[in-house]
Amino acid sequence: MAEKITAYRFERLDQTLSQLNKEDCAIMAGGTDVMVLHKSGRGVPPKIPKPIVFIDHLSELKRVYQNQKDLHIGACCTYSELLEEPCIPIPLKNAIKTIAAPAIRNRGTLGGNICNASPAGDTLPLLYVYNAKLLLRSVHGDRVVAISDFIQGPRRVGRNPNEILAEIILPSVVEEGSHVVFEKVGNRNADAIAKVSFAGYIRLNGTQIEEVRLCLGAVGPTMVRSIDIEKKLVGKTIPLADADIAQVVSAFDKIIKPIDDQRSTALYRKTVAINLIRYFLSMKQYQTN
Ligand SMILES: Cc1cc2nc3c(=O)[nH]c(=O)nc-3n(C[C@H](O)[C@H](O)[C@H](O)COP(=O)(O)OP(=O)(O)OC[C@H]3O[C@@H](n4cnc5c(N)ncnc54)[C@H](O)[C@@H]3O)c2cc1C
């Protein structure tokens, strides 16, 4: 006889939060990671060890709006929906276009990518360089946490069982003069998990660097970003001297610790990661802006 599971699909977010406060449930947004994580043998339904609560349909989690210079993105917006949104930054759209194929993009959500906390999650390097903040909601209210504090390791996040990730906030995303780049290296342009990914952010005052942020994905247990390395570039003028670029490259070389797995080798990952840093720091496009 087929096993029974309990599943909840409330009409409103407050009802969902109230259930989560009473019972430890598995949250299911698009389900594209949950279903794979719990898959059983061929023809056997996935075994999810807790009651499931569906959140993908909740309108409160699907809003995209601008609040002054900040962009708020509902955690349950699917990738396909975000591609249709005019205010989503182009680099984020470019990253989304590299994710899986349309069927997965029609189900998978931005909030799911964050809460799944894969070292190869494609939106994560960009969200780190946008200094994304996450709005977590529970029956007790809201709290806001930086993405770099929320993601604690592979598939490990700082979420209390009664909380839902409600919004992703990109602060000052409409800032003038910043230049943001996303690069993913995989077997194909899309429908491939990243071997290495990279996001870079630079803001200039004339030829002087006011701020720079660099983040690598898939080269460690979680995203690799170093505020200390970034600070060394502030105040320098572009084009950067070879010695400055070499200093940054050597600092990253020390902190990235990629692994060998079915997708790539540690050596390939490290070489490509370093090349991506070098490429971004010597890019001509932002230098002529
Ligand atoms: C064939 C295939 C190809 C893929 N290709 C890529 C790829 O190229 N790049 C990539 O980055 N990923 C890829 N993925 C992974 C996946 O599609 C993404 O990570 C997606 O964003 C997950 O979103 P979801 O809504 O389906 O998450 P779900 O599977 O519903 O949830 C994932 C995790 O997050 C939790 N969760 C989800 N939403 C919330 C919320 N709002 N609040 C609290 N917890 C929440 C869930 O409980 C679960 O632990 C692929 C998956 C498949 C099956």
Coordinates of all heavy atoms in Angstrom, one line a residue, residues 40-79:
S40 N 13.9 8.5 -4.7 CA 14.0 7.1 -4.4 C 14.4 6.4 -5.7 O 14.7 7.0 -6.7 CB 12.7 6.6 -3.8 OG 12.3 7.4 -2.8
G41 N 14.1 5.1 -5.7 CA 14.4 4.3 -7.0 C 13.4 4.7 -8.1 O 12.5 5.4 -7.8
R42 N 13.7 4.2 -9.3 CA 12.9 4.5 -10.4 C 11.4 4.1 -10.2 O 11.2 2.9 -9.7 CB 13.4 3.8 -11.7 CG 12.7 4.1 -12.9 CD 13.3 3.5 -14.1 NE 14.6 4.1 -14.4 CZ 15.3 3.9 -15.6 NH1 14.8 3.0 -16.4 NH2 16.4 4.4 -15.8
G43 N 10.5 4.9 -10.4 CA 9.1 4.6 -10.3 C 8.6 4.7 -8.8 O 7.4 4.5 -8.5
V44 N 9.5 5.0 -7.9 CA 9.1 5.1 -6.5 C 9.0 6.6 -6.1 O 10.0 7.3 -6.4 CB 10.2 4.4 -5.6 CG1 9.7 4.4 -4.1 CG2 10.4 3.0 -6.0
P45 N 7.9 7.0 -5.5 CA 7.9 8.5 -5.1 C 8.9 8.9 -4.1 O 9.4 8.0 -3.3 CB 6.5 8.6 -4.5 CG 5.8 7.3 -4.7 CD 6.8 6.3 -5.0
P46 N 9.4 10.1 -4.2 CA 10.4 10.6 -3.2 C 9.9 10.4 -1.8 O 8.7 10.6 -1.5 CB 10.6 12.0 -3.6 CG 9.6 12.4 -4.5 CD 8.9 11.2 -5.0
K47 N 10.8 10.1 -0.9 CA 10.5 10.0 0.5 C 10.9 11.2 1.3 O 12.1 11.4 1.5 CB 11.2 8.8 1.1 CG 10.6 7.4 0.7 CD 11.1 6.3 1.7 CE 10.4 5.0 1.5 NZ 10.6 4.5 0.1
I48 N 9.9 12.0 1.6 CA 10.2 13.3 2.3 C 9.8 13.0 3.8 O 8.7 12.7 4.1 CB 9.5 14.5 1.7 CG1 9.9 14.6 0.3 CG2 9.7 15.7 2.5 CD1 9.3 15.7 -0.5
P49 N 10.8 13.1 4.7 CA 10.6 12.6 6.1 C 9.7 13.5 7.0 O 9.4 13.1 8.1 CB 12.0 12.5 6.6 CG 12.8 13.5 5.9 CD 12.2 13.6 4.5
K50 N 9.2 14.6 6.5 CA 8.4 15.5 7.3 C 7.2 15.8 6.5 O 7.1 15.7 5.3 CB 9.2 16.8 7.5 CG 10.4 16.7 8.3 CD 11.0 18.1 8.3 CE 12.4 18.1 8.9 NZ 13.1 19.4 8.8
P51 N 6.1 16.4 7.2 CA 5.0 16.9 6.5 C 5.5 18.0 5.5 O 6.5 18.7 5.9 CB 4.1 17.5 7.6 CG 4.6 17.0 8.8 CD 6.0 16.6 8.7
I52 N 4.9 18.1 4.4 CA 5.3 19.1 3.4 C 4.4 20.4 3.5 O 3.2 20.2 3.7 CB 5.2 18.6 2.0 CG1 6.1 17.3 1.8 CG2 5.5 19.6 0.9 CD1 5.8 16.6 0.6
V53 N 5.0 21.5 3.4 CA 4.1 22.7 3.2 C 4.5 23.4 1.9 O 5.7 23.7 1.7 CB 4.2 23.7 4.5 CG1 5.6 24.2 4.8 CG2 3.2 24.8 4.4
F54 N 3.5 23.6 1.1 CA 3.7 24.2 -0.2 C 3.7 25.7 -0.1 O 2.7 26.2 0.6 CB 2.7 23.8 -1.3 CG 2.8 22.3 -1.7 CD1 2.1 21.3 -1.1 CD2 3.8 22.0 -2.7 CE1 2.2 20.0 -1.4 CE2 3.9 20.6 -3.0 CZ 3.1 19.7 -2.4
I55 N 4.6 26.5 -0.7 CA 4.6 27.9 -0.6 C 4.6 28.6 -2.0 O 4.5 29.8 -2.1 CB 5.7 28.4 0.3 CG1 7.1 28.1 -0.3 CG2 5.6 27.9 1.7 CD1 8.3 28.8 0.3
D56 N 4.8 27.8 -3.0 CA 5.0 28.4 -4.4 C 3.9 29.3 -4.9 O 4.1 30.1 -5.7 CB 5.3 27.3 -5.4 CG 4.2 26.3 -5.5 OD1 3.7 25.8 -4.4 OD2 3.7 26.0 -6.6
H57 N 2.7 29.1 -4.4 CA 1.5 29.8 -4.9 C 1.2 31.1 -4.1 O 0.3 31.8 -4.5 CB 0.3 28.9 -4.8 CG 0.0 28.4 -3.4 ND1 0.9 27.6 -2.7 CD2 -0.9 28.8 -2.5 CE1 0.5 27.5 -1.5 NE2 -0.7 28.1 -1.3
L58 N 1.9 31.3 -3.0 CA 1.5 32.4 -2.1 C 1.9 33.8 -2.7 O 3.0 34.1 -2.9 CB 2.2 32.2 -0.8 CG 1.8 31.0 0.0 CD1 2.7 30.8 1.3 CD2 0.3 31.1 0.5
S59 N 0.8 34.6 -3.0 CA 1.0 35.9 -3.7 C 2.0 36.8 -2.9 O 2.7 37.6 -3.4 CB -0.3 36.6 -4.0 OG -1.0 36.7 -2.7
E60 N 1.9 36.7 -1.5 CA 2.8 37.5 -0.7 C 4.3 37.3 -0.9 O 5.1 38.1 -0.6 CB 2.5 37.2 0.8 CG 1.1 37.5 1.3 CD 0.2 36.3 1.3 OE1 0.4 35.4 0.4 OE2 -0.6 36.2 2.3
L61 N 4.6 36.1 -1.5 CA 6.0 35.8 -1.8 C 6.4 35.9 -3.2 O 7.4 35.5 -3.7 CB 6.3 34.3 -1.3 CG 5.9 34.0 0.1 CD1 6.2 32.5 0.4 CD2 6.8 34.8 1.1
K62 N 5.5 36.6 -4.0 CA 5.8 36.7 -5.4 C 5.8 38.1 -5.9 O 5.8 38.4 -7.1 CB 4.7 35.9 -6.2 CG 4.8 34.4 -6.0 CD 3.8 33.6 -6.8 CE 4.3 33.3 -8.2 NZ 5.3 32.3 -8.3
R63 N 5.9 39.1 -5.0 CA 5.9 40.5 -5.4 C 7.4 40.9 -5.7 O 8.3 40.6 -5.1 CB 5.4 41.4 -4.3 CG 3.9 41.1 -4.1 CD 3.3 42.2 -3.2 NE 4.1 42.5 -2.0 CZ 4.2 43.7 -1.5 NH1 3.6 44.7 -2.1 NH2 4.9 43.9 -0.4
V64 N 7.5 41.8 -6.8 CA 8.8 42.5 -7.0 C 8.5 43.9 -7.0 O 7.6 44.4 -7.7 CB 9.3 42.1 -8.4 CG1 10.6 42.8 -8.7 CG2 9.6 40.6 -8.5
Y65 N 9.2 44.7 -6.2 CA 8.9 46.1 -6.1 C 10.2 46.9 -5.7 O 11.1 46.3 -5.1 CB 7.8 46.5 -5.1 CG 8.0 46.1 -3.7 CD1 8.5 47.0 -2.8 CD2 7.8 44.8 -3.3 CE1 8.7 46.6 -1.4 CE2 8.0 44.4 -1.9 CZ 8.5 45.3 -1.0 OH 8.7 44.9 0.3
Q66 N 10.2 48.2 -6.0 CA 11.3 49.0 -5.7 C 11.0 49.9 -4.5 O 9.9 50.5 -4.5 CB 11.7 49.9 -6.9 CG 13.1 49.8 -7.3 CD 13.4 50.3 -8.7 OE1 12.9 49.7 -9.6 NE2 14.0 51.5 -8.7
N67 N 11.9 50.0 -3.5 CA 11.6 50.9 -2.4 C 12.8 51.8 -2.3 O 13.9 51.4 -2.0 CB 11.5 50.1 -1.1 CG 11.2 50.9 0.1 OD1 11.0 52.1 0.0 ND2 11.2 50.3 1.3
Q68 N 12.6 53.1 -2.8 CA 13.7 54.0 -3.0 C 14.7 53.3 -4.0 O 14.3 52.9 -5.0 CB 14.3 54.5 -1.7 CG 13.2 55.2 -0.9 CD 13.7 55.9 0.3 OE1 14.9 55.8 0.7 NE2 12.8 56.7 0.8
K69 N 16.0 53.2 -3.5 CA 17.0 52.6 -4.4 C 17.0 51.1 -4.3 O 17.8 50.4 -5.0 CB 18.3 53.2 -4.2 CG 18.5 54.6 -4.7 CD 19.9 55.1 -4.5 CE 20.2 56.3 -5.2 NZ 21.6 56.8 -5.0
D70 N 16.3 50.5 -3.3 CA 16.4 49.1 -3.1 C 15.4 48.3 -3.9 O 14.3 48.7 -4.0 CB 16.2 48.7 -1.6 CG 17.2 49.4 -0.7 OD1 18.2 49.9 -1.2 OD2 17.0 49.4 0.5
L71 N 15.8 47.1 -4.3 CA 14.9 46.2 -5.1 C 14.5 45.1 -4.2 O 15.4 44.4 -3.6 CB 15.6 45.7 -6.4 CG 14.8 44.8 -7.3 CD1 13.6 45.6 -7.8 CD2 15.6 44.3 -8.4
H72 N 13.2 44.8 -4.1 CA 12.7 43.7 -3.2 C 12.2 42.6 -4.2 O 11.3 42.9 -5.0 CB 11.6 44.2 -2.3 CG 12.1 45.1 -1.2 ND1 11.9 44.9 0.1 CD2 12.7 46.4 -1.3 CE1 12.4 45.9 0.8 NE2 12.9 46.8 -0.1
I73 N 12.6 41.4 -4.0 CA 12.2 40.3 -4.9 C 11.6 39.2 -4.0 O 12.2 38.7 -3.1 CB 13.4 39.7 -5.7 CG1 14.2 40.8 -6.4 CG2 12.9 38.6 -6.6 CD1 15.5 40.3 -7.0
G74 N 10.3 38.9 -4.3 CA 9.6 37.9 -3.6 C 10.4 36.5 -3.8 O 10.8 36.2 -4.9
A75 N 10.5 35.8 -2.6 CA 11.4 34.6 -2.7 C 10.8 33.5 -3.6 O 11.5 32.7 -4.1 CB 11.5 34.0 -1.3
C76 N 9.5 33.5 -3.8 CA 8.9 32.5 -4.6 C 8.7 32.9 -6.1 O 7.9 32.2 -6.8 CB 7.6 32.0 -4.0 SG 7.9 30.8 -2.7
C77 N 9.3 34.0 -6.5 CA 9.3 34.3 -7.9 C 10.1 33.2 -8.7 O 11.2 32.9 -8.3 CB 9.9 35.7 -8.2 SG 9.0 37.0 -7.6
T78 N 9.5 32.7 -9.7 CA 10.3 31.7 -10.5 C 11.3 32.4 -11.4 O 11.1 33.6 -11.6 CB 9.4 30.8 -11.4 OG1 8.8 31.7 -12.4 CG2 8.3 30.1 -10.6
Y79 N 12.2 31.7 -11.9 CA 13.2 32.3 -12.8 C 12.5 32.8 -14.0 O 12.9 33.9 -14.5 CB 14.2 31.2 -13.2 CG 15.1 30.8 -12.1 CD1 15.2 29.4 -11.7 CD2 15.8 31.7 -11.3 CE1 16.0 29.0 -10.7 CE2 16.6 31.3 -10.2 CZ 16.7 29.9 -9.9 OH 17.4 29.5 -8.9

